[in-house]
Amino acid sequence: MTEPYTPPKVWTWEVPSGGTFASINRPIAGPTHDKTLPVGEQPLQLYSLATPNGVKVTVMLEELLALGKPAEYDAWLIEISKGDQFGSGFVEVNPNSKIPAMMDHSVTPPQRIFESGSILLYLAEKFGALIPTDLAGRTECLSWLFWQMGSAPYLGGGFGHFYAYAPEKMEYPINRFAMETKRQLDVLDRHLADKDWMAGGEYSIADIAIYAWYGNLVLGRAYNAAEFLDVASYKNVLAWAQKIDARPAVIRGRKVNRNWGQPWEQLPERHSAADLDALPKAP
């Protein structure tokens, strides 16, 4: 840092802090405007965007459908850069105003579910899939799921913010969060040295959750930071991520609630499997 900073005795919010998401960051909760959420015909209503946390859920739903589970869903686009997450309807589903959020209308009264890890666990238990049934396997799976939920803020909110989104590059925070990101990648690389999947013998919600963040990082899709972090050196993580990336349900799930990229990569709203089937083919 070029100038020392002395924190005030009491912090007050005076001006936006700058950076890519400055216009939507604020120190208070609650809605900023009235907006009713749309509701489609499917039992599950997803309100999301294809960020890593959003991709977790769309991949999960597509995996469940691939298994023959009755997990049909409507996926509605929430454009966080425009503040959709602060609409009154969305805040009713998720008082924390973060995507993804879901309503299950197959139960009475309809059940809201927020936080991506909670949604994955809810769907796994509801449909009896993608989570081990034995106590030891389930515990291992949930340990890794909660590890991801606790670790990703260092990757996204820490490293990603200061490396890619902050208004200026600052050596100390970039070094601090790069070190922690590489430590986390090393945790994964060591764990996957003798395992096919995070929970051991079967693909699970732990793999889905961790792939959405760390898989995409080592595959070169996050923050333009693959070379900086030397992600190719984490060979076990890379092989695991490539294996997940090739799954048909993952390929489909990554396209849902996406409104950027090539035409064959994006489906801002999804209301049936036919919507994905109708996308143009990649050349």
Side-chain angles (χ1 to χ4, degrees):
M1 293 183 290
T2 58
E3 297 180 7
Y5 170 65
T6 302
K9 290 184 178 180
V10 178
W11 183 86
T12 57
W13 187 47
E14 297 178 355
V15 295
S17 58
T20 302
F21 300 105
S23 64
I24 61 170
N25 289 333
R26 60 195 185 122
I28 56 175
T32 60
H33 58 282
D34 290 328
K35 185 175 182 180
T36 302
L37 288 177
V39 179
E41 298 181 357
Q42 306 296 356
L44 298 171
Q45 299 294 304
L46 176 65
Y47 306 97
S48 192
L49 181 69
T51 65
N53 285 332
V55 164
K56 292 179 193 176
V57 179
T58 52
V59 164
M60 176 67 173
L61 289 164
E62 292 297 326
E63 292 280 15
L64 290 169
L65 290 170
L67 291 171
K69 303 295 183 180
E72 267 298 346
Y73 67 103
D74 289 287
W76 303 94
L77 182 67
I78 299 295
E79 295 192 74
I80 59 175
S81 63
K82 297 181 179 179
D84 289 352
Q85 69 275 33
F86 300 119
S88 56
F90 189 89
V91 174
E92 287 179 6
V93 181
N94 184 357
N96 195 40
S97 293
K98 302 289 184 182
I99 62 95
M102 175 179 281
M103 290 294 298
D104 183 356
H105 291 271
S106 71
V107 297
T108 305
Q111 177 67 54
R112 76 176 186 183
I113 318 102
F114 59 92
E115 287 295 323
S116 57
S118 178
I119 296 174
L120 292 182
L121 182 56
Y122 179 86
L123 292 171
E125 292 183 333
K126 179 181 178 70
F127 294 105
L130 297 168
I131 187 170
T133 55
D134 64 292
L135 180 60
R138 177 185 170 86
T139 301
E140 184 75 2
C141 175
L142 294 183
S143 291
W144 282 111
L145 175 64
F146 296 152
W147 174 87
Q148 186 279 316
M149 295 295 291
S151 296
Y154 286 94
L155 173 56
F159 175 76
H161 174 77
F162 286 105
Y163 186 79
Y165 302 133
E168 60 185 65
K169 296 287 191 288
M170 293 180 282
E171 182 179 4
Y172 175 78
I174 289 175
N175 284 344
R176 171 67 180 86
F177 287 110
M179 177 177 65
E180 176 60 16
T181 298
K182 288 181 70 66
R183 188 193 69 81
Q184 292 175 7
L185 286 170
D186 194 46
V187 169
L188 292 175
D189 206 59
R190 290 169 184 266
H191 177 70
L192 290 166
D194 59 354
K195 296 176 182 65
D196 291 330
W197 306 111
M198 292 304 304
E202 59 184 279
Y203 177 68
S204 72
I205 56 175
D207 297 285
I208 293 172
I210 295 169
Y211 159 84
W213 279 95
Y214 297 89
N216 278 301
L217 180 66
V218 299
L219 291 169
R221 298 183 184 137
Y223 314 125
N224 196 27
E227 182 179 7
F228 179 74
L229 294 172
D230 188 23
V231 297
S233 66
Y234 303 98
K235 299 185 184 304
N236 300 318
V237 182
L238 184 58
W240 163 86
Q242 291 170 335
K243 182 168 54 176
I244 295 175
D245 206 53
R247 294 176 68 91
V250 174
I251 294 171
R252 291 171 71 85
R254 290 187 61 245
K255 300 176 182 180
V256 179
N257 289 147
R258 183 181 172 104
N259 61 350
W260 66 91
Q262 299 296 331
W264 55 86
E265 296 176 320
Q266 54 176 302
L267 184 66
E269 289 187 7
R270 179 222 185 266
H271 303 292
S272 74
D275 294 336
L276 280 163
D277 296 337
L279 287 177
K281 304 299 181 183

